[in-house]
Amino acid sequence: MILKLYCATPVISGSGSSASSGSTGYISDDYVNLRSGAGTGNSVVKCLRENTKFTFVSTTPTNGWYNIKLSDGTTGWVLGDYVTADKTQEKNDDPVT
């Protein structure tokens, strides 16, 4: 059984500014809690809307939770079930000149 808690004040997805480092991703469901730590016992920092873009602080999960950073600089933790890596981002380590 999945219990979905709805946030009182949702954060509207922005245009998603480009991060200077780290892999990017997006939130794959609506009204997902961004928490202060890796677990439901931690406080809710913000409530995220589907397709909210973010940068991974770490691409290695902690007990299934990812540490992420939003375009406004807010950091927190999101359960991996609601995280999708941005596969359209191409890494070009060897540019052609």
Side-chain angles (χ1 to χ4, degrees):
M1 179 173 126
I2 296 176
L3 176 64
K4 190 184 280 189
L5 300 176
Y6 292 95
C7 305
T9 310
V11 174
I12 307 290
S13 297
S15 59
S17 61
S18 176
S20 59
S21 65
S23 300
T24 61
Y26 60 91
I27 300 300
S28 60
D29 203 356
D30 228 358
Y31 304 106
V32 173
N33 290 326
L34 178 69
R35 295 190 176 268
S36 61
T40 56
N42 295 287
S43 62
V44 175
V45 176
K46 284 191 177 184
C47 187
L48 306 175
R49 297 299 307 263
E50 186 173 10
N51 295 321
T52 298
K53 296 282 185 183
F54 62 82
T55 301
F56 285 97
V57 173
S58 173
T59 55
T60 304
T62 300
N63 297 322
W65 293 75
Y66 287 92
N67 192 359
I68 66 168
K69 182 176 182 178
L70 303 177
S71 61
D72 68 1
T74 304
T75 59
W77 296 80
V78 177
L79 184 61
D81 293 350
Y82 305 110
V83 168
T84 302
D86 187 357
K87 302 211 184 284
T88 61
Q89 179 181 352
E90 292 186 23
K91 205 174 186 182
N92 191 0
D93 295 333
D94 228 343
V96 178
T97 55

